Each structure stands twice: as C-alpha cells, then as structure tokens.
C-alpha cells in the first residue's frame, strides 16, 4: 500500500510496479490519474476509485475531466466514480484487494492512495501561530508570507494568505511563496502577481491550466466554453462566472494556455459567446 507524497514514495512505488500485475488507485485527482497513467504504461491492470460523481471534481472543469477520463479508458484503465472503499483486505500481511461501498470486490497486487492532504499545523500551534481554524488548518500569512509572529514565515501548501479562501497546491505556489518570503527578508519588492498555473502529463496529453476552477458547489453561475486548439486533439476550456473569466485549461494546446494566462493576468475577459469560435482573434483582443 503506497502513498505518493515524497520522492522516496515514488521510488518505492516504481520498484513495486516492476513485479506487480495489477493496481488499484483510490482517488481520481491529478495524483491518482498521473499514477494510473504511469502504471498503465508499465503494463499493469489499473482501476481508479473516486468517491465523487466524476474525476477531478475539486480541481478541473467537467469538459476537461471528461476528456481525461476518456483518455484513460482508451488506454484500458477502469474508472469507478460515485463509489468509495468500504474495506481493504490483506492476505499473509500483504494487500490483496478492496471491497467497495456498492458491494463489489476488486483484487490487485498493489494499492495507491491519493486522496489529498490536509495541512499539518501542529508545529504552528506549538509556536502559538494563528491558523485557519482555532486548532488546525492552514497557517495564516500576509502577502510577504509572515505569520502572526512576524519573525516566523510559512510558505508552500501549508500557508494561506489572509482574506483568501483556498490554499494553492502547485509548483507555481511553492516558487512564488518562496520568492515573496525572500523579498520580505531582504526588504525588496515582492514578485509580480501571476495567475496560478499548473500542469499535468498523462500519456501523450499535457494539461496546462491557469487560474482557479471553482467547484460547482462554490458557484452556481459557472460557464465552461470549449475552444478548439491548433494542434490535432488540442482544446482549451475557458471557465467563467457570468462574464468574468476565472480559469483556462488547455490540453495539447500550449497556444491556448498562453493566451488564456495572458488574459487572466491582464484582467481581460473575452466574451464567452465568442471565445469558443476558433476564428475569434484573442491576440488582437490582448493587443488592445
């Protein structure tokens, strides 16, 4: 049974995959799907279990989730959504399979658990540093990553800027928060603000995203507009709240990603009724 959080976890997972024939992955987020793609490419039979009604429910738009789900199915991955794990079975002290909440029993040689993380704020509480909740949650920081104790900084996944409701878990956030912390220590201006960005490689498809895609429960006026890419099989999905652009996700479409990122950083919201038309000139819009 494996988690995937540290480099040593990845090394152990790769080593175990050399002798395994099948794997079950709990969690249909980016970590789970990337692990599924890697294991499937090694020839293992792979099943993904996701408790939500669809893949990537917290982090991606429905069109992107559907596209990546179809990609995994085309590569032979079995996707199980809307169902959770009721129990984990072992045989001779080794993992042997799971029983799902709908009664089905799945067998496999290895199990990967990728169900997300919560901030470990024990050290902050011991130092009497303010956290998101009274007894746990993210460590609250200002724009220069200073905690409630100005002599102590917090960066990365565990930190949450005051006034924000969502922690960003990405390479970009790790780099940006570190740069802000250093700028504060050296009494220098902070780096320019960027739209949060992220990428994920699965099989032959590279997903690049900018901005934050809200979940359907966070907003009830979301619009997802698909725009064909210039490359074969490429597309971008532009997510709006009303007329306001919130995020752009591009699959096999680096040009669409760059245009979307520039729109977000320039606070430009192309008309959602036009952006899906490949003839609509986004470069001209940005030039003005």
């Amino acid at each position: 049974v494996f988690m995937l959080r540290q480099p040593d976890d990845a090394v152990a997972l790769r080593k175990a995959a050399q002798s395994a024939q099948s794997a079950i992955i709990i969690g249909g987020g980016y970590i789970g799907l990337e692990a599924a793609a890697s294991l499937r490419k090694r020839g293992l039979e792979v099943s993904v279990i996701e408790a939500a009604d669809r893949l990537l429910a917290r982090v991606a738009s429905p069109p992107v989730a559907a596209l990546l789900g179809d990609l995994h199915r085309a590569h032979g991955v079995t996707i199980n959504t809307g169902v959770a794990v009721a129990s984990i079975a072992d045989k001779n002290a080794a993992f042997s399979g799971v029983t799902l909440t709908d009664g089905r029993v799945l067998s496999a040689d290895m199990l990967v658990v990728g169900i997300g993380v919560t901030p470990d704020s024990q050290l902050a509480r011991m130092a009497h540093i303010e956290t998101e909740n009274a007894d746990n949650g993210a460590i609250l920081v200002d724009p220069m990553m200073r905690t409630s104790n100005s002599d102590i900084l917090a960066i990365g996944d565990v930190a949450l800027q005051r006034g924000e409701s969502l922690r960003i878990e990405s390479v970009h956030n790790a780099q940006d928060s570190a740069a802000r912390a250093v700028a504060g220590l050296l009494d220098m201006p902070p780096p320019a603000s960027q739209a949060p960005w992220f990428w994920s490689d699965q099989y032959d498809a590279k997903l690049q995203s900018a901005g934050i895609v809200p979940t359907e429960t966070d907003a009830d006026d979301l619009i997802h507009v698909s725009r064909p890419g210039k490359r074969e099989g490429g597309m971008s999905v532009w997510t709006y709240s009303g007329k306001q652009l919130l995020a752009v996700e591009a699959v096999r479409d680096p040009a669409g990603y760059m245009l979307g990122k520039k729109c977000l950083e320039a606070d430009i919201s192309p008309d959602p009724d036009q952006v899906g038309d490949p003839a609509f000139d986004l470069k001209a819009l940005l030039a003005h």
Side-chain angles (χ1 to χ4, degrees):
V1 178
F2 298 89
M3 294 186 295
L4 191 55
R5 297 181 61 185
Q6 307 291 344
D8 287 348
D9 297 336
V11 172
L13 184 58
R14 186 183 303 119
K15 182 178 179 180
Q18 295 175 355
S19 58
Q21 301 296 316
S22 56
I24 292 171
I25 296 172
I26 303 176
Y30 284 120
I31 290 292
L33 294 184
E34 288 173 6
S38 295
L39 294 174
R40 190 70 191 103
K41 286 164 68 175
R42 286 178 171 269
L44 278 71
E45 295 182 9
V46 177
S47 296
V48 173
I49 302 166
E50 169 54 53
D53 291 335
R54 66 172 177 88
L55 299 174
L56 302 167
R58 294 189 303 113
V59 292
S61 65
V64 166
L67 186 153
L68 293 178
D70 290 343
L71 177 66
H72 278 272
R73 292 184 184 92
H75 281 83
V77 175
T78 301
I79 305 285
N80 304 276
T81 56
V83 66
V85 173
S87 62
I88 298 174
D90 67 280
K91 184 177 182 180
N92 299 324
F95 169 75
S96 62
V98 300
T99 299
L100 303 183
T101 50
D102 62 8
R104 284 181 293 157
V105 176
L106 306 181
S107 301
D109 301 324
M110 57 191 297
L111 176 69
V112 180
V113 183
I115 56 175
V117 296
T118 56
D120 183 350
S121 54
Q122 180 181 0
L123 185 60
R125 294 197 302 275
M126 292 170 62
H128 305 292
I129 291 172
E130 189 178 359
T131 54
E132 186 178 10
N133 304 312
D135 58 348
N136 59 30
I139 299 171
L140 297 178
V141 296
D142 67 11
M144 305 306 287
M145 314 311 294
R146 291 182 293 251
T147 69
S148 56
N149 181 332
S150 60
D151 291 327
I152 300 177
L153 311 182
I155 64 173
D157 291 4
V158 76
L160 174 67
Q161 288 199 32
R162 296 177 186 276
E164 300 291 333
S165 60
L166 181 69
R167 289 183 304 109
I168 307 297
E169 300 174 2
S170 69
V171 169
H172 166 249
N173 178 62
Q175 295 173 337
D176 180 73
S177 60
R180 290 179 181 278
V182 170
L185 290 171
L186 300 181
D187 197 24
M188 296 173 61
S193 295
Q194 294 184 351
W197 52 261
F198 176 80
W199 82 90
S200 177
D201 292 312
Q202 300 176 35
Y203 307 106
D204 65 337
K206 175 180 282 292
L207 165 77
Q208 297 168 283
S209 67
I212 302 296
V213 180
T215 65
E216 288 81 355
T217 57
D218 292 333
D220 57 8
D221 61 345
L222 295 182
I223 302 171
H224 306 289
V225 182
S226 297
R227 178 181 173 90
K230 294 182 178 180
R231 298 182 180 181
E232 183 178 355
M235 65 172 287
S236 58
V237 176
W238 298 60
T239 295
Y240 293 80
S241 176
K243 295 284 187 178
Q244 179 67 42
L245 180 65
L246 301 179
V248 176
E249 306 155 283
V251 179
R252 304 188 186 96
D253 185 15
Y257 162 73
M258 287 305 302
L259 288 169
K261 187 171 184 289
K262 289 179 179 179
C263 284
L264 287 164
E265 292 175 348
D267 196 22
I268 294 174
S269 294
D271 188 335
D273 293 329
Q274 295 180 291
V275 76
D277 182 354
F280 180 59
D281 194 343
L282 286 167
K283 291 183 178 179
L285 182 67
L286 285 165
H288 287 87

